[in-house]
Amino acid sequence: MLLRLENKPEERFHGAFQNCLPTRSRWFPSSKTKKRRGNTIVAEGEPGTMTVGFEASTSAGWIARGDQLPEEQRVPFNRPTVRQVYDALPFVRRYSLYWLKHIGKREKLFINTFQPLKHKPHYGVPCGTIGSGSIGRDFRGGFCKFGLRPGMIEHKVDVLKADQFVVTVRRDLETIYQKVLSAAEFTPQAGSVLSAWDFSFPAENLQYRGLFPRAWTTYDIPECGLKIVCRQISPVIPNDYRESSLPTSVFVFEIENLSAGCLDVSITFAFRNGTGHKRWKSEGNCVSRNFEDEDVVGICLDHTISGMGCTYALSAKRTHGAAVSVCRSFDPSGTGEKLWEQMKKSGRVEDIADEPLLNELGVAISVQATVEANSTLENPIEFALVWHMPIVEFGSKKRTFRRRYTRFYGTEPEVAQKISCHALTSYNLWEQKIVDWQKPVLSHPRIPDWYKSAIFNELYFLVDGGTVWFEFDESWTFEERQLSDYSADLLKAYGRFGYLESWEYRMVNTYDVHFYASFALAELWPALQHVIQAEITDHVEHYDEKTIRFHMEGDLAPQKTRLRVPHDLGNPAQDPWIDTNAYVMHDTGKWKDLNLKFVLTTYRDYAVLRSDVEDRRRFLEFAWPVVKSLIEEGLRAWDKDGDGMIENFGAADQTYDAWRMNGVSAYCGSLWLAALRVTVEMARDIGETKVAKKYNETLEKAKEVYVSRLWNGEYFNFDEHSRSKQSIMADQLCGYWFLETINPKMASEIIDPEKVRKALDKIYNFNVKKFASGRMGAVNGMCPNGKIDRNYIQADEMWTGISYALASFFIQQGEVQRGFDTAWGPYDASYNRFGLQYQTPEALYERKFYRAIGYMRPLSIWAIQWSLKRFCQLENQDSAFLKDVCVEDPDLRSLEDDEGIVCISADDEAGGSSSNESS
């Protein structure tokens, strides 16, 4: 059951403070009371504004009460069909041997297929910035899921009992209330730790709103007449390549006293060494040290994590009327009684609570202020958390890397206090920049409220995706033989960027997935997108002759083939950028889409992202030889009959790596057509007119083949020969979609736009509407009879990132409402029904299952924003393209089937055949 926040009007904040609270539904609805799935969404009047020194729209955000539970319990996928099990038996045998070799070393696996990660339904907006490491937050309060080791997310780490905020309330020199500001639950094993602390804050009195990169937690303490709002801010700011790299988050506490008496309120911030992982709990020596710098007071905790030096810094701003006290030692694994009693005695902490231990240490900082009766604390209580871990290494421990922020601050331990001071004096400016960035979307009257939440909250992955951002090191130029001068110059200016495919698919910059996700970087930090593209360009010619037996087909081949785009740049448990292609499920040298996606992305970055004429020309001259080689290689290796169109060879030789394609396929064929078209354009721009003519002739032949082999009058068949050959594939026009994001005219030249329109109609009416009653995005494959294609694993999945991309495709075609309705499904399912917020999975099934939480591809939601800006005049609030958009959720209104075909539920189809041959 999904709980709603339905406080009585008299229980809400008063005055300006009311505007800091989240509303009482999961996101802000329009001003009508609505019924939804048996629950009431209450809405009265217009949304308010937040009062944080400036005004900003609050018409979006993911909302939860502290006792909220998912509507539906989901688990990782574990129920393949009998046919799918039979097909997978050779793989299972080969992979099992590999898996058994890594008993006790599971982190070294690039994918742990047999032990998939299970989601945790209480995640909130993570702390951190791009590539600085991340620290997770439980929306009920508390810190969890540390991602400080490069490329590793410690998802199994629950809320740490020692890493908390504590409130102490005193009246007339006596403590009347003291609790940890968290409603998180703890495992029985944690019961004896800090047993003196009171963790009983009522979950129903806690309300949360997340709008990345900020979050608001509201604590209602009626017995004291207090309301407290904790605002979390991380400086994730578009086009800011300095502040967005800093390892810090700020927490601002605003307090309102609704009682008739004066109250002394203390907020204490406590933290311990390590990350909660048992291996680093008592690793190395721990040392604490105090610091002061003008109005900033703090405590540093020096320790190590996996042998890498790390300094946590807790700091607070000294304001008029507030007293700051610091504790530099308490036992984080003891009862916590001495520190608890110090707070209870005076509302302050003392220098030493417990004698410091050698390898475990907790520190705390407390701010106490007086709040007059029926008033709001004039100066909020402000804390900064910094994690200074400047020099890191991957699992192989062969090389060290400096995080990007060291370019500006250096690597010395004192950097932690410098960043602390900067954070507490700069966060107001950060917030102003964040508001300016988000306001055009949040204030737009014709954009659905769910989208206003989704577009920003899905960016969590750029912080919490095992992201790394390193400062250039001259040693790379001789350690990495593929590194070009062009790329080295970019790395010197902007650093090296990488992120995981998924928390459990541990591969850096997985390129077939990044193709979709790249719109987030292209829109917000284009220099980082350019860095990735340049480095991938370098790796095309690079090869690794080491012979590998690949798990799926069992074939032997080089780990990295020359003239192939790498699948990924390595496993963080090894040595990324040197040991590439960690993905050894398939020989990706045979994949058809990687090279073509690279060609298309190169053209986009050249034609759209490079604004300076000389800069554009230099990039084209750098990339063109590689583009040309890839097209030539495609014609040589993949066009077996010489008709200009490439074929698939009966394997899962593309990003749908469990869905076999045989012969000409809609997905790879559309990518080939689009890649040929942009290659013609680049050849013309570079001055190679004969090459342009040759590829244009090839394109004309390929277009005829694509239509004659696949077009059936309504859509393009999945392929020619596989079991899914007649399936309606959601991503069948991937190449056309991507090319249209760059140049609609060029897209219209590769496939007849009328055929595109008909195919999209079919996809919407079948893959979207007939899947989960139209409430979960577009299933990958749907049979012509309206049943889900279950011939192969992945055909029956809904891929969140593909549904977002498809939504942007609808928008580009002028079908804006269809686009929003398609994208709403995966967001609503993940964030509001299944407890998968801030861990969006790669795939959802119609019932029971998900696959691969914390995934890269959902960043493709920024393709929607790209399309709205370029096709719908988003900057104009009176845009004619958006005037008919319905801002309420699709399940609050009727979704009629355009073709009058009855939607088939999972129960209806459970016993039926879904093969194309029988349809």
Side-chain angles (χ1 to χ4, degrees):
M1 175 182 176
L2 186 62
L3 298 172
R4 290 290 184 271
L5 313 178
E6 296 186 359
N7 294 344
K8 297 177 182 178
E10 63 268 25
E11 293 176 347
R12 287 180 279 166
F13 268 1
H14 300 283
F17 229 77
Q18 179 176 339
N19 299 322
C20 296
L21 280 173
T23 59
R24 295 154 291 170
S25 64
R26 295 173 310 175
W27 59 69
F28 290 68
S30 59
S31 56
K32 297 179 181 178
T33 299
K34 305 164 184 170
K35 293 287 183 179
R36 177 177 187 176
R37 295 192 291 272
N39 297 304
T40 302
I41 291 179
V42 180
E44 301 169 354
E46 297 299 319
T49 57
M50 296 180 302
T51 305
V52 289
F54 49 83
E55 290 192 353
S57 170
T58 55
S59 60
W62 180 74
I63 307 298
R65 198 167 77 177
D67 53 359
Q68 176 171 300
L69 296 173
E71 281 185 359
E72 181 182 329
Q73 296 297 324
R74 292 243 164 175
V75 296
F77 175 70
N78 59 12
R79 298 280 181 86
T81 66
V82 174
R83 180 72 174 265
Q84 291 166 352
V85 171
Y86 178 79
D87 288 345
L89 285 176
F91 156 73
V92 171
R93 179 180 60 82
R94 285 187 289 268
Y95 183 81
S96 295
L97 295 174
Y98 166 78
W99 189 83
L100 289 170
K101 289 179 181 178
H102 290 84
I103 288 178
K105 300 178 290 184
R106 297 291 184 233
E107 278 193 349
K108 293 186 179 297
L109 297 171
F110 69 98
I111 296 177
N112 188 347
T113 300
F114 296 158
Q115 295 176 315
L117 292 181
K118 296 180 180 179
H119 79 295
K120 296 182 179 180
H122 298 111
Y123 285 155
V125 173
C127 300
T129 54
I130 299 174
S132 66
S134 61
I135 299 178
R137 287 282 279 164
D138 188 306
F139 73 74
R140 301 167 299 178
F143 297 84
C144 57
K145 186 176 53 61
F146 285 61
L148 301 187
R149 292 182 295 151
M152 295 289 182
I153 299 295
E154 296 177 0
H155 169 70
K156 294 183 179 180
V157 172
D158 292 313
V159 171
L160 276 67
K161 296 189 79 171
D163 296 354
Q164 298 288 350
F165 293 104
V166 179
V167 62
T168 305
V169 184
R170 292 169 58 80
R171 178 186 293 139
D172 299 329
L173 301 181
E174 291 190 5
T175 297
I176 61 173
Y177 185 93
Q178 182 165 287
K179 287 186 189 295
V180 176
L181 288 174
S182 173
E185 299 170 349
F186 298 96
T187 61
Q189 294 89 329
S192 61
V193 175
L194 302 181
S195 56
W197 293 19
D198 187 344
F199 288 92
S200 65
F201 192 91
E204 65 273 16
N205 290 351
L206 183 154
Q207 300 175 3
Y208 182 88
R209 181 166 71 91
L211 188 64
F212 182 88
R214 297 188 295 169
W216 295 256
T217 308
T218 302
Y219 303 90
D220 185 2
I221 309 176
E223 51 265 64
C224 300
L226 271 184
K227 290 195 182 281
I228 301 172
V229 175
C230 172
R231 192 166 79 255
Q232 172 187 320
I233 309 118
S234 297
V236 182
I237 302 166
N239 291 302
D240 189 325
Y241 296 89
R242 176 176 174 134
E243 302 296 275
S244 296
S245 73
L246 300 182
T248 185
S249 289
V250 172
F251 302 89
V252 180
F253 286 82
E254 300 189 65
I255 305 171
E256 186 177 30
N257 178 6
L258 301 175
S259 74
C262 178
L263 297 174
D264 292 324
V265 180
S266 301
I267 304 292
T268 301
F269 187 13
F271 224 76
R272 65 158 297 151
N273 69 296
T275 65
H277 193 296
K278 60 183 179 181
R279 290 174 62 188
W280 335 125
K281 177 181 177 182
S282 55
E283 177 191 80
N285 294 337
C286 300
V287 178
S288 64
R289 48 190 170 84
N290 297 28
F291 69 88
E292 287 194 35
D293 190 332
E294 296 184 355
D295 292 330
V296 175
V297 179
I299 178 78
C300 287
L301 171 54
D302 299 325
H303 60 120
T304 62
I305 298 172
S306 188
M308 295 175 280
C310 180
T311 299
Y312 291 148
L314 279 61
S315 59
K317 203 170 182 181
R318 186 189 287 119
T319 58
H320 177 71
V324 181
S325 54
V326 174
C327 172
R328 57 185 178 88
S329 175
F330 76 91
D331 181 359
S333 295
T335 65
E337 182 176 6
K338 291 182 179 179
L339 181 62
W340 190 257
E341 289 303 316
Q342 287 178 5
M343 293 186 283
K344 195 170 185 180
K345 178 182 177 182
S346 62
R348 304 186 183 192
V349 296
E350 298 175 11
D351 186 47
I352 301 290
D354 302 300
E355 287 301 317
L357 303 174
L358 180 64
N359 51 11
E360 284 192 70
L361 188 62
V363 296
I365 186 168
S366 183
V367 179
Q368 185 178 56
T370 300
V371 190
E372 301 295 334
N374 295 304
S375 67
T376 299
L377 183 64
E378 182 177 358
N379 296 308
I381 294 175
E382 303 154 309
F383 294 105
L385 170 65
V386 171
W387 49 98
H388 174 46
M389 197 171 179
I391 300 174
V392 295
E393 57 192 11
F394 289 112
S396 70
K397 298 186 181 297
K398 293 179 180 178
R399 304 191 290 171
T400 58
F401 298 84
R402 290 183 298 128
R403 294 201 195 266
R404 170 68 175 181
Y405 73 88
T406 64
R407 177 188 183 96
F408 314 109
Y409 283 91
T411 62
E412 297 304 314
E414 293 75 20
V415 165
Q417 61 200 59
K418 293 179 181 178
I419 295 177
S420 297
C421 296
H422 177 69
L424 287 173
T425 56
S426 302
Y427 80 83
N428 281 317
L429 179 59
W430 296 344
E431 286 200 281
Q432 184 63 65
K433 290 180 177 180
I434 292 168
V435 167
D436 292 344
W437 159 41
Q438 296 182 340
K439 185 176 181 180
V441 173
L442 300 183
S443 63
H444 203 294
R446 303 313 309 164
I447 297 295
D449 288 336
W450 70 263
Y451 176 78
K452 296 175 181 180
S453 174
I455 190 63
F456 298 114
N457 279 329
E458 290 289 25
L459 286 173
Y460 84 92
F461 194 78
L462 286 180
V463 165
D464 205 21
T467 313
V468 295
W469 191 3
F470 297 139
E471 184 64 0
F472 178 75
D473 193 309
E474 288 290 346
S475 66
W476 299 348
T477 59
F478 57 85
E479 290 173 343
E480 302 174 20
R481 60 183 182 178
Q482 83 286 345
L483 190 62
S484 66
D485 291 341
Y486 182 92
S487 296
D489 288 343
L490 275 179
L491 295 174
K492 290 173 184 177
Y494 296 105
R496 167 171 278 170
F497 175 83
Y499 57 160
L500 296 179
E501 179 178 339
S502 164
W503 294 348
E504 56 184 308
Y505 296 180
R506 298 189 185 104
M507 293 160 283
V508 175
N509 291 348
T510 300
Y511 195 77
D512 58 302
V513 180
H514 171 72
F515 173 76
Y516 300 90
S518 66
F519 283 92
L521 291 178
E523 275 284 295
L524 303 173
W525 293 275
L528 296 185
Q529 163 56 27
H530 193 41
V531 164
I532 290 179
Q533 194 65 13
E535 292 218 78
I536 293 292
T537 305
D538 290 344
H539 280 275
V540 172
E541 289 276 356
H542 181 64
Y543 64 94
D544 186 342
E545 294 178 335
K546 182 173 61 178
T547 301
I548 295 292
R549 184 174 297 280
F550 293 92
H551 298 309
M552 283 292 186
E553 287 80 26
D555 49 346
L556 287 166
Q559 182 149 2
K560 168 63 174 68
T561 304
R562 182 176 173 271
L563 293 180
R564 296 295 187 275
V565 170
H567 173 274
D568 59 84
L569 296 185
N571 180 350
Q574 298 172 353
D575 194 2
W577 282 276
I578 289 182
D579 298 331
T580 60
N581 270 8
Y583 176 86
V584 292
M585 288 294 192
H586 297 272
D587 175 9
T588 58
K590 298 176 181 177
W591 278 22
K592 308 305 183 292
D593 57 347
L594 281 167
N595 288 4
L596 309 181
K597 288 177 173 180
F598 169 84
V599 172
L600 284 167
T601 306
T602 295
Y603 184 70
R604 182 199 62 191
D605 293 3
Y606 157 68
V608 181
L609 300 188
R610 319 313 305 155
S611 57
D612 180 79
V613 175
E614 291 185 6
D615 184 33
R616 291 179 74 233
R617 182 71 185 187
R618 184 166 176 251
F619 177 51
L620 181 60
E621 290 173 348
F622 164 67
W624 168 247
V626 174
V627 168
K628 183 178 175 181
S629 295
L630 293 179
I631 295 298
E632 288 295 329
E633 189 66 8
L635 288 168
R636 183 195 67 80
W638 301 334
D639 180 14
K640 293 300 186 182
D641 54 9
D643 61 1
M645 172 55 71
I646 63 170
E647 294 88 32
N648 295 85
F649 300 156
D653 51 359
Q654 25 66 40
T655 195
Y656 297 90
D657 56 356
W659 198 1
R660 296 184 179 184
M661 297 180 183
N662 199 344
V664 177
S665 68
Y667 166 72
C668 291
S670 73
L671 286 167
W672 175 248
L673 295 178
L676 281 173
R677 181 62 189 88
V678 301
T679 303
V680 168
E681 203 68 18
M682 284 186 277
R684 289 170 179 165
D685 289 353
I686 206 72
E688 296 193 18
T689 54
K690 289 183 179 180
V691 173
K693 184 175 183 294
K694 171 189 171 182
Y695 291 154
N696 194 58
E697 290 171 353
T698 303
L699 172 61
E700 291 304 314
K701 292 194 299 181
K703 286 161 55 176
E704 292 182 12
V705 173
Y706 187 73
V707 173
S708 64
R709 302 269 188 94
L710 300 177
W711 180 248
N712 62 24
E714 294 182 288
Y715 62 94
F716 292 92
N717 288 332
F718 177 78
D719 67 5
E720 292 186 281
H721 307 303
S722 76
R723 296 201 303 264
S724 289
K725 62 185 178 183
Q726 295 177 359
S727 186
I728 308 161
M729 187 187 192
D731 205 16
Q732 63 184 263
L733 291 171
C734 179
Y736 189 103
W737 157 70
F738 195 92
L739 180 53
E740 191 174 49
T741 67
I742 308 167
N743 189 314
K745 182 178 183 298
M746 288 170 60
S748 69
E749 294 170 4
I750 65 169
I751 302 175
D752 177 9
E754 181 60 21
K755 289 183 173 62
V756 172
R757 186 192 64 78
K758 287 183 178 180
L760 286 174
D761 278 347
K762 196 71 174 181
I763 292 168
Y764 184 73
N765 286 313
F766 277 67
N767 300 61
V768 177
K769 286 188 175 181
K770 296 183 187 308
F771 178 66
S773 301
R775 297 176 58 236
M776 208 187 293
V779 69
N780 284 338
M782 182 70 76
C783 297
N785 63 2
K787 292 184 178 181
I788 295 172
D789 181 357
R790 301 189 190 279
N791 283 294
Y792 300 96
I793 293 175
Q794 296 180 346
D796 57 346
E797 294 179 334
M798 184 285 299
W799 286 8
T800 306
I802 299 302
S803 286
Y804 287 156
L806 178 62
S808 78
F809 198 178
F810 282 128
I811 290 169
Q812 288 165 195
Q813 300 298 311
E815 298 283 358
V816 180
Q817 191 64 61
R818 284 185 172 186
F820 280 133
D821 289 353
T822 299
W824 165 81
Y827 176 77
D828 180 67
S830 296
Y831 276 69
N832 298 323
R833 294 196 280 134
F834 303 157
L836 289 161
Q837 71 281 351
Y838 306 107
Q839 54 194 307
T840 313
E842 159 76 319
L844 289 172
Y845 288 76
E846 189 173 34
R847 300 173 63 195
K848 298 181 182 179
F849 304 117
Y850 57 80
R851 182 172 59 79
I853 59 172
Y855 203 80
M856 178 199 293
R857 200 177 333 241
L859 285 169
S860 65
I861 194 170
W862 278 85
I864 298 178
Q865 189 70 4
W866 179 285
S867 299
L868 287 171
K869 288 171 64 176
R870 288 162 176 79
F871 291 80
C872 298
Q873 301 175 356
L874 181 63
E875 69 283 356
N876 178 9
Q877 294 199 354
D878 298 321
S879 169
F881 297 98
L882 302 172
K883 65 182 179 65
D884 295 325
V885 171
C886 184
V887 297
E888 65 183 12
D889 303 342
D891 68 343
L892 297 176
R893 50 189 164 81
S894 172
L895 281 176
E896 297 178 358
D897 191 312
D898 291 351
E899 301 196 2
I901 300 176
V902 177
C903 294
I904 300 174
S905 70
D907 292 333
D908 294 332
E909 64 189 26
S913 169
S914 60
S915 70
N916 284 295
E917 285 84 347
S918 63
S919 58

